[in-house]
Amino acid sequence: MEQSFINELKTIVGEQYTLTDRESLAVYGYDSTPELESRPGVVLLPGSPPEVARIMALCHGAGISVTPRGSGTNLSGGSLSGGGVVVQTSRMNRIVEVDEENLTATVEPGVITSALHREVEGRGLFYPPDPGSMNISTMGGNVAENSGGLRGLKYGVTADYVMGLTTVLADGELLRTGGKAVKDVAGYSLNPLLVSSEGTLGFFTAITVKLIPKPRAKITMLAHFPELNQAALAVSAIIAAKVIPATLEFLDKVTIKCVEDYSHVGLPLDVDAVLLIEVDGHPAVVAEEAASVEEICKRHRCSFFQTAKDADEALKLATARRTALSALARLKPTTILEDATVPRSCIAPMLQVIQETARKYNLTIGTFGHAGDGNLHPTCLTDERDKDEIARAHAAFDEIFDAAIAMGGTITGEHGVGLAKKRYLPRLVGESGIKVMRGIKNAFDPKGILNPGKVF
């Protein structure tokens, strides 16, 4: 990248917020995706939307690529840049407004997800999306990837809460979509298109999300299952009984052992699976639903059923689940975390496929995830320096994704396509799907400078 161009960028954000040193570029050459490294030419930390617009206009004129980046928790290589400009959002971290009358919050893209949770819950309100990385991930990244989380079964994902966006387009122009109006059918619905676009269509500078009243009560439960299949069947039975828990999480034996070794919360080491279940809402309804969940789990040969005695114990159990990836990652140098997703009725056969595939390729795969919405996280513990094992891991995931697609599922429920999964996308959407998506990309970004190489 020419020094003269970097100097022009410095006039926009200042020298302090223009990073070109070798160490910084090395740090920004990674996100949370294993096996991928791609160093940018320069990293910028703008402090305002006008600075973002000026950066985009300058890069558009010069034909230089731009990759938006939040906290780098991306799991599909979506925040990596091959020699271009990385625009990092940590300075744009204001909660602009919490509108209690309209039940909305407006934030800048660098706001940490859990910071928004704390702010609105202090006012008796609730923003449900809670990705596992919520204490690190940013709202801009959540919108770009359409993040889910533990509460997705009952409350949905990020797209279900985005009401309005201010987006800087590839040429520096501003696009405002949606707003605080509950109903708006004027023209094409662009918000859902921009959500989950993985930084390839625009750069979000303001995000307005819907809030709901905070649930009045919740009960957290943990069910132990000697047989993996019975845990999977219990999940389907709970949903079939028309009980929709806020959280219905699954951990297999490999994951249980790693989490217990890491967090020491008293998880059982002599079972094949546990379910972490949380029901919330009106106190009377919560009590009734908790009783139904317990009865269903026991009917499916649950060996032990635990109800958290207080808020501290409930938090301890939920936190243990959130540490699953960190706990697994301690075992081997490389952790390949995937998110094959299937219809809920296919959880049991999908878990069987994962186990059989792990045995076939002689791999250690721990599986956890959002069982209530079919979003499983088979996690291969490997070492990228062992080329034979890495090849077997990729072959295993080829079979796992093919099985998910055959069951009517998808290659990603939360993590996005990015770099890591783009070779699988044509298997899912076909040539016509790719053609339509490319047409949308070309309409928004005809020069192809926004996060190039991702998705397609």
Side-chain angles (χ1 to χ4, degrees):
M1 191 174 292
E2 295 289 336
Q3 186 60 46
S4 59
F5 181 74
I6 293 175
N7 290 339
E8 287 188 76
L9 293 171
K10 286 180 181 178
T11 66
I12 299 173
V13 299
E15 186 162 357
Q16 179 183 358
Y17 301 114
T18 304
L19 309 180
T20 57
D21 61 286
R22 182 180 176 185
E23 292 80 7
S24 294
L25 298 184
V27 169
Y28 284 96
Y30 296 89
D31 59 12
S32 295
T33 314
E35 301 181 81
L36 295 180
E37 178 190 2
S38 185
R39 297 189 184 189
V42 62
V43 178
L44 305 177
L45 286 76
S48 68
E51 288 182 2
V52 174
R54 290 176 63 194
I55 291 167
M56 289 305 311
L58 183 62
C59 290
H60 185 263
I64 301 292
S65 68
V66 178
T67 297
R69 183 180 174 111
S71 295
T73 57
N74 188 279
L75 287 159
S76 59
S79 50
L80 299 181
S81 167
V85 176
V86 164
V87 182
Q88 208 268 350
T89 62
S90 59
R91 292 180 62 216
M92 298 175 64
N93 60 1
R94 293 185 308 132
I95 298 176
V96 178
E97 177 192 50
V98 177
D99 184 341
E100 298 185 45
E101 188 174 359
N102 286 304
L103 294 181
T104 64
T106 299
V107 301
E108 291 184 325
V111 168
I112 301 298
T113 313
S114 61
L116 178 60
H117 290 159
R118 289 191 296 272
E119 178 65 29
V120 302
E121 287 175 26
R123 303 170 185 235
L125 298 172
F126 193 42
Y127 175 68
D130 61 336
S133 57
M134 67 182 190
N135 292 318
I136 311 168
S137 64
T138 62
M139 289 296 292
N142 290 177
V143 174
E145 300 293 335
N146 193 13
S147 298
L150 277 65
R151 297 190 286 241
L153 168 61
K154 181 174 182 178
Y155 290 106
V157 296
T158 300
D160 299 309
Y161 294 87
V162 174
M163 296 183 68
L165 293 169
T166 301
T167 305
V168 178
L169 299 177
D171 60 0
E173 288 193 15
L174 279 184
L175 173 67
R176 292 184 174 88
T177 55
K180 294 182 181 180
V182 175
K183 293 181 177 179
D184 181 0
V185 296
Y188 293 149
S189 185
L190 295 178
N191 275 343
L193 179 62
L194 292 166
V195 177
S196 79
S197 60
E198 302 191 33
T200 64
L201 301 183
F203 191 114
F204 309 127
T205 57
I207 302 160
T208 297
V209 295
K210 174 177 68 175
L211 306 175
I212 61 176
K214 186 178 177 181
R216 290 171 54 187
K218 67 178 178 181
I219 294 176
T220 303
M221 300 156 279
L222 188 73
H224 305 181
F225 289 87
E227 298 175 37
L228 185 96
N229 189 57
Q230 289 301 318
L233 293 174
V235 170
S236 298
I238 289 168
I239 303 301
K242 299 179 176 59
V243 176
I244 307 297
T247 296
L248 183 45
E249 296 290 301
F250 166 89
L251 285 77
D252 74 354
K253 191 168 190 171
V254 173
T255 311
I256 293 167
K257 185 179 186 311
C258 291
V259 169
E260 181 56 24
D261 288 346
Y262 181 67
S263 57
H264 307 292
V265 295
L267 294 180
L269 299 178
D270 59 346
V271 298
D272 269 4
V274 297
L275 294 180
L276 173 68
I277 309 152
E278 189 170 270
V279 291
D280 67 1
H282 188 280
V285 175
V286 166
E288 181 181 322
E289 289 186 339
S292 295
V293 166
E294 181 173 3
E295 186 276 323
I296 291 167
C297 288
K298 288 180 176 177
R299 192 176 355 122
H300 285 80
R301 300 205 288 273
C302 157
S303 59
F304 183 75
F305 192 91
Q306 172 187 357
T307 300
K309 60 181 182 294
D310 54 33
D312 287 343
E313 187 174 16
L315 179 61
K316 195 166 151 185
L317 291 173
T319 302
R321 158 58 186 89
R322 290 187 185 279
T323 65
L325 176 56
S326 301
L328 286 163
R330 296 166 73 222
L331 288 193
K332 279 202 167 185
T334 305
T335 306
I336 303 177
L337 170 67
E338 291 296 0
D339 65 330
T341 305
V342 294
R344 285 187 289 246
S345 59
C346 296
I347 291 170
M350 191 68 223
L351 287 169
Q352 185 176 351
V353 166
I354 293 168
Q355 286 194 321
E356 290 174 353
T357 305
R359 286 193 293 269
K360 175 180 176 180
Y361 289 98
N362 191 27
L363 296 167
T364 300
I365 297 180
T367 303
F368 63 96
H370 319 303
D373 54 24
N375 187 185
L376 299 175
H377 294 306
T379 305
C380 184
L381 310 179
T382 182
D383 184 342
E384 63 185 271
R385 295 168 297 185
D386 184 337
K387 300 306 180 185
D388 176 68
E389 187 172 67
I390 282 290
R392 285 185 278 117
H394 288 305
F397 280 116
D398 272 359
E399 293 190 17
I400 288 169
F401 286 132
D402 282 344
I405 293 169
M407 293 179 192
T410 181
I411 60 173
T412 176
E414 296 178 317
H415 298 167
V417 176
L419 291 170
K421 292 184 182 175
K422 61 182 183 178
R423 67 192 180 95
Y424 298 116
L425 187 61
R427 303 185 198 180
L428 180 69
V429 303
E431 290 184 14
S432 58
I434 296 294
K435 181 180 177 181
V436 169
M437 291 182 196
R438 283 192 183 278
I440 293 168
K441 168 68 172 172
N442 290 336
F444 274 82
D445 179 20
K447 286 191 174 182
I449 68 166
L450 266 167
N451 214 8
K454 313 307 189 310
V455 183
F456 309 110

